[in-house]
Structures are given as structure tokens and as C-alpha cells.
Amino acid sequence: MSQKHLKEAFISNLNGTSLLEISLGLSLAPLCLLCRGLLLILYYLHYGKPLSSRKYSLLLDFLVLVSPLLFSCTVLSQIMFLLPTIIAAFCAGIFSKIYSQRKQETSVPFRQIVRDFQKTYLDPEYIPAITVFRVYVNVLTAISILAVDFPQYPRRYAKAETYGTGVMDLGVGAFIFGNALVCPEVRQKSYGTHPKFSNLARQFCSVWPLVFLGVGRLLSVKSIEYHEHTSEYGVHWNFFFTLAFVRLAASLLLAIIPKDKSWIVAISLAVLYQLILNTTSLKMFILHGSNGRGTRVGFLNANREGLLSLWGYLAIYMASVQVGLCLLKCRSSVKGWMEAACFLLLTVLVLFVCLHVVQAYADPVSRRMANLAYGIWVLAHCLTFFTWFVVTDLALVFTKLLVKGSSVPCCWNAGKPPNARTKHDTEAAPTGREGKLSHICLISAINKNQLLFFLLANVMTGTVNILIDTIHSKAVFTLCILHLYMFFNCLIMYILHAKNIVLKFW
């Protein structure tokens, strides 16, 4: 077999992993974020000032926020069930040290601290969990698209062939979810000052880079005969085209129907699509082509997975728009966000029950078809992931209240309600000292140029695969390559952010 066919076989015919392993794995990134925040607070407690060195800040962010994820999906994947416990214990140790040192300075009872914490004001316009969620989806995707070509990456994490729940299967849906959370229809508070079709016009202007990147990927892959998983999207289709189409189609639907009814459209699309799959020959066409033997003759046959899965992805997007609207409801206190987190967890529980029923009586999860079970699974895990970040932010707010003056980038800043402060002191989003810290925050850096980060990761992945025989790499070499690859991508984003450069031409 040629190197191209070897690599294609290496990422094909896989079945995914368990829902439990993915759920546990989702806790790693929030725990890393919590660990980094506690370390910064501990540093402030010791030295009386925030970490101001850009060099050390980048190093800390990379080693704590990125490196553990690289290890967890390679050499430490066999102890995945222990990793969250280990990191959580480390965080508990840091918090205990912070609390014990802070306790020496004041005698305020713990119950009073908790009561004050629940009343703490948080800026309702600034939800750091959304930013962190979208950044981490990008980071985890960047890690996986290269790591999957190395033998140290567990095959159960890679995309499943037809049915199954691989980690990379979730990444595709999470991208759709993250985009919907910040779409114009969600961020725009009302249609009173903007025509309904203005968002559609804006989306036509904003998706051209995705179409351009999709065409660029298609031409580059075909010209250098790069290995590709045809049953993923088809011969010519790719995820850039899917994302562009879904965003345009969703904007068109939201220009016609009230945006707060998007959940009805999502359910209707997902259920109708599943009924068609189960009652017609559409499922057999997606899996085996028009001749039943996997033909790729003709545009529809060649790209049947990418074209027909659009309905499932559109349903996920519309449901995620509803989630975004719910998140933007005014919650200006810690207590309000604690109630919101409980509601999100209850929603997750309901979704998992629905998932069990759908898998038992309709169809198992299939990213290839983007069926009803896949949509429910993606929403359940994305809400779980997001809720973890909300809980992490609240834990950091509590710790910052213990150590007054401490600051953590990309986290809520505790304060008083606007009517209790002056005009120049009403912002709970990063300002003042927090504003300076944002310049040395890796999360803010990636957030400013997310599409560029994703594109750079794809280009670097292709370059590494062309230059290196990834399939036969040893563990130490694999870890070195993955760390260099991720550090280079992060460093570029960091430099652009430090110079306040946003590469956006639309």
C-alpha cells in the first residue's frame, strides 16, 4: 500500500468510544482553566501584584491550558478516568493554600463569605464561558486533527465510520454549536432597529472566507494527493462548505420566523429528517450510494454524506441559537448564574434520557448522517462542556473574593451593581488591571483570530504529514512534534494579539 492509502486506512472503519469517557474527558479543559486561575491568584497572594511578564504568562498558559490535553489524548489516554481526579485534587490543594493564607489576614466567617459571594454582581453583558468554550473547541480540534495521524492517539477517539461516538465526531458538532452562540441573531437584542433580512445580507458577506477556504482545501488536497477520509463528507465537500451553508440557511430561516422559536424549527428539522431516514431508502443511499455498492459517480453520489448531513447540522445550529438566547437573559448575580447552571444540568439530563430512547427505538448516533441521535448527543455534551466552564468561572470569582485585588484573564470580575458605583466603575468585564492582563492571555489571543488559528492548524497539519511518517512515530517523537506544532500556532496568535492585530477582511 502507498503512504496515502496507509494513512487513509489508519483513520477509517473505527467505532468511537463510550459516552462516559467523553463526558469525563470534557472536564479536563475546565479543570486546567481552574488550575491556571488558582495559580495566578496564589501568585498575587504571594507577591502582591499580578503576573506581568508576557514570556512567563505565555509559558504558564501553554503548560497548564494546552499541554495536559496533549498528554491526555496520547500517552496518558489509558488513565483518562484518573486524570480529572488528579487535576481536581491539585486544584483543591492550591485553593486550600490560598484559603489558609488568606484566613490569617481576616476573621470573616465562611458562611458570611458564601452569602456575600451569592450576592456578588457580574456583568450580564460579559459571559466569559462562551469565549472559553469556543476557544477550547478550536484548541481541541487543532490537537486532534494532527494527533489522529499518530499511533499514540487512541483509535477510539477518532471519527467513527458509520455509527459511534468518537471525540472527533463531537468536535464537528461543537463547532456548529459555538458559532450559533455568537451569531448576529443572538447578539442582536431586537429587530426594532434593523430590518429582518439585514442579518442575511451580513452573513452573505461574512461566509465568503469559509467558501474560499473550502475551495482552497479542495484544490490543495487533490493537487498533492493528500490522504482523505472520503466517507466523512464526500469527494469534493468539506467542513468549510458545511459551515458556510448552515450559517446562510439559518439566517434565512431566522429572517422568516421569530428567533425565539428557533427550537421549534430545530426539533421539526431533526425529527422529520430522522423519519425520512427510517421510512425511505435515504439511509441506504447515504451509506452505500445509488447502486448499493458505494458508487461515487455523479456529484450527489460523490458528496452524499456532506450534502445530506446538512439538515442535521442545521437542526443543531437552530437549537444552539435558542441556547444562545437563553444565555443572554439578564443574570447579574452569582446566584442567578448558579440557578442557570442547575437548569443547564437538568437540560443535559433530559437530553441524555432522550438520547437513550432515540438510540433504542430509532437509530444510534451517526455523524456521517448527522441523524437525530447525533444532534441530541452533540447538544447534551456541548451544554455539559459549557456548564463546566460556568462552574469554573464561579469558583474563580469566589477565590478572587477571598484575595481582593487578584485578577484572572477571561474570567468574571466581581463588583457592585451599576447603581452602586460611579459611571467610570460600572464594568465587570476586564478593565483596568484586567485589561492589561488580557494582553498576556492565550485565550484572548486565540479568540481574536479564531478562523486564522483553525486555518493555520490545518496548514501545519498538512505540512507535518507531508514531511513526517506519522504512522510509525515513537511516543517521545510524537509528543515533541505535537507540542512544537501547538506552541507555534499559539505563539503566532499571541504575537498578533500583543500587537493588537485582527486578520479579518469581511
Side-chain angles (χ1 to χ4, degrees):
M1 294 176 71
S2 66
Q3 189 74 2
K4 178 179 183 290
H5 290 110
L6 273 174
K7 290 191 174 183
E8 286 175 354
F10 193 58
I11 57 175
S12 301
N13 303 312
L14 304 171
N15 299 312
T17 185
S18 67
L19 297 179
L20 178 60
E21 184 170 17
I22 293 177
S23 297
L24 283 173
L26 289 178
S27 66
L28 283 177
L31 283 170
C32 290
L33 187 70
L34 177 62
C35 181
R36 172 258 209 166
L38 292 174
L39 286 172
L40 288 173
I41 294 171
L42 184 62
Y43 181 91
Y44 180 88
L45 187 62
H46 273 287
Y47 297 99
K49 61 179 181 179
L51 180 64
S52 57
S53 168
R54 293 188 174 185
K55 179 174 62 177
Y56 290 125
S57 179
L58 173 61
L59 190 60
L60 174 68
D61 280 359
F62 184 80
L63 290 178
V64 180
L65 300 181
V66 179
S67 191
L69 303 179
L70 283 169
F71 281 101
S72 70
C73 68
T74 51
V75 293
L76 297 183
S77 59
Q78 296 303 316
I79 59 167
M80 174 56 75
F81 289 90
L82 287 176
L83 286 177
T85 306
I86 295 170
I87 299 176
F90 184 68
C91 290
I94 301 173
F95 178 81
S96 177
K97 188 173 181 64
I98 291 172
Y99 184 75
S100 62
Q101 291 192 6
R102 171 259 169 206
K103 198 173 180 181
Q104 297 169 3
E105 302 171 8
T106 180
S107 58
V108 179
F110 186 78
R111 286 185 180 180
Q112 183 62 43
I113 295 172
V114 172
R115 281 196 291 268
D116 292 342
F117 168 64
Q118 290 180 335
K119 297 175 185 176
T120 300
Y121 172 79
L122 301 173
D123 183 6
E125 300 294 324
Y126 175 66
I127 307 174
I130 293 178
T131 298
V132 178
F133 174 91
R134 298 181 72 240
V135 167
Y136 257 115
V137 167
N138 246 313
V139 169
L140 291 168
T141 301
I143 291 172
S144 295
I145 59 176
L146 179 57
V148 71
D149 295 314
F150 290 90
Q152 288 74 25
Y153 189 86
R155 296 301 91 193
R156 66 184 187 276
Y157 289 177
K159 288 178 180 175
E161 185 68 27
T162 301
Y163 294 106
T165 53
V167 173
M168 294 184 72
D169 292 311
L170 178 61
V172 178
F175 246 104
I176 298 289
F177 182 90
N179 269 267
L181 289 183
V182 295
C183 70
E185 291 81 8
V186 170
R187 286 178 295 170
Q188 189 174 299
K189 292 186 177 179
S190 70
Y191 283 117
T193 56
H194 296 85
K196 277 195 170 185
F197 285 90
S198 64
N199 285 328
L200 183 60
R202 270 193 235 108
Q203 287 287 40
F204 266 109
C205 295
S206 66
V207 301
W208 74 261
L210 295 173
V211 177
F212 178 76
L213 291 173
V215 173
R217 176 177 172 79
L218 171 64
L219 294 177
S220 60
V221 165
K222 299 302 179 184
S223 62
I224 65 175
E225 294 190 348
Y226 189 75
H227 67 278
E228 54 184 330
H229 196 183
T230 305
S231 64
E232 189 176 343
Y233 295 107
V235 178
H236 311 103
W237 202 262
N238 58 56
F239 183 64
F240 291 112
F241 293 141
T242 293
L243 191 55
F245 175 87
V246 167
R247 284 174 58 174
L248 285 177
S251 290
L252 178 60
L253 287 173
L254 291 168
I256 299 170
I257 63 164
K259 58 184 179 179
D260 59 349
K261 297 292 188 293
S262 59
W263 64 275
I264 298 176
V265 178
I267 293 174
S268 301
L269 280 171
V271 172
L272 180 61
Y273 178 50
Q274 185 63 55
L275 285 173
I276 295 172
L277 286 173
N278 284 8
T279 58
T280 69
S281 59
L282 183 63
K283 184 190 298 185
M284 294 303 295
F285 172 72
I286 294 175
L287 299 180
H288 306 292
S290 58
N291 67 351
R293 288 176 286 182
T295 178
R296 293 288 174 180
V297 177
F299 183 77
L300 184 57
N301 266 305
N303 303 285
R304 54 184 184 267
E305 293 91 350
L307 293 170
L308 293 171
S309 65
L310 289 172
W311 300 107
Y313 288 123
L314 181 57
I316 293 172
Y317 191 98
M318 295 298 289
S320 305
V321 167
Q322 190 70 54
V323 173
L325 292 172
C326 291
L327 292 176
L328 286 184
K329 285 182 179 177
C330 185
R331 294 183 182 90
S332 57
S333 69
V334 165
K335 187 177 180 181
W337 273 104
M338 289 172 70
E339 292 171 353
C342 291
F343 176 75
L344 288 173
L345 288 175
L346 182 61
T347 304
V348 168
L349 181 61
V350 172
L351 286 172
F352 274 118
V353 171
C354 293
L355 176 61
H356 178 74
V357 173
V358 170
Q359 290 204 107
Y361 296 101
D363 227 2
V365 174
S366 173
R367 172 205 44 81
R368 188 172 177 181
M369 291 182 280
N371 58 5
L372 177 60
Y374 176 75
I376 296 173
W377 175 63
V378 165
L379 288 173
H381 275 92
C382 284
L383 286 176
T384 302
F385 199 34
F386 179 82
T387 305
W388 274 116
F389 284 124
V390 171
V391 172
T392 298
D393 280 331
L394 292 176
L396 289 174
V397 168
F398 180 79
T399 312
K400 288 196 293 182
L401 287 176
L402 296 178
V403 185
K404 297 201 182 329
S406 60
S407 231
V408 179
C410 291
C411 169
W412 270 310
N413 214 15
K416 298 178 182 178
N419 57 10
R421 293 182 288 175
T422 64
K423 181 178 179 181
H424 298 288
D425 197 32
T426 59
E427 293 293 327
T431 55
R433 183 175 288 161
E434 192 85 350
K436 292 178 182 178
L437 277 176
S438 68
H439 289 289
I440 53 173
C441 174
L442 185 57
I443 293 171
S444 297
I446 296 174
N447 182 55
K448 269 199 171 181
N449 286 286
Q450 288 205 48
L451 184 58
L452 178 64
F453 180 80
F454 184 59
L455 175 61
L456 183 61
N458 276 269
V459 171
M460 288 295 295
T461 296
T463 304
V464 171
N465 269 282
I466 291 170
L467 298 176
I468 295 172
D469 178 12
T470 56
I471 296 179
H472 301 102
S473 297
K474 301 296 182 183
V476 174
F477 181 74
T478 297
L479 288 172
C480 289
I481 292 296
L482 289 176
H483 275 84
L484 285 172
Y485 152 79
M486 283 304 297
F487 187 77
F488 176 78
N489 291 343
C490 292
L491 181 62
I492 296 298
M493 298 302 106
Y494 188 85
I495 292 172
L496 290 175
H497 182 48
K499 296 182 179 298
N500 201 28
I501 298 174
V502 180
L503 295 180
K504 189 174 180 178
F505 309 104
W506 59 95

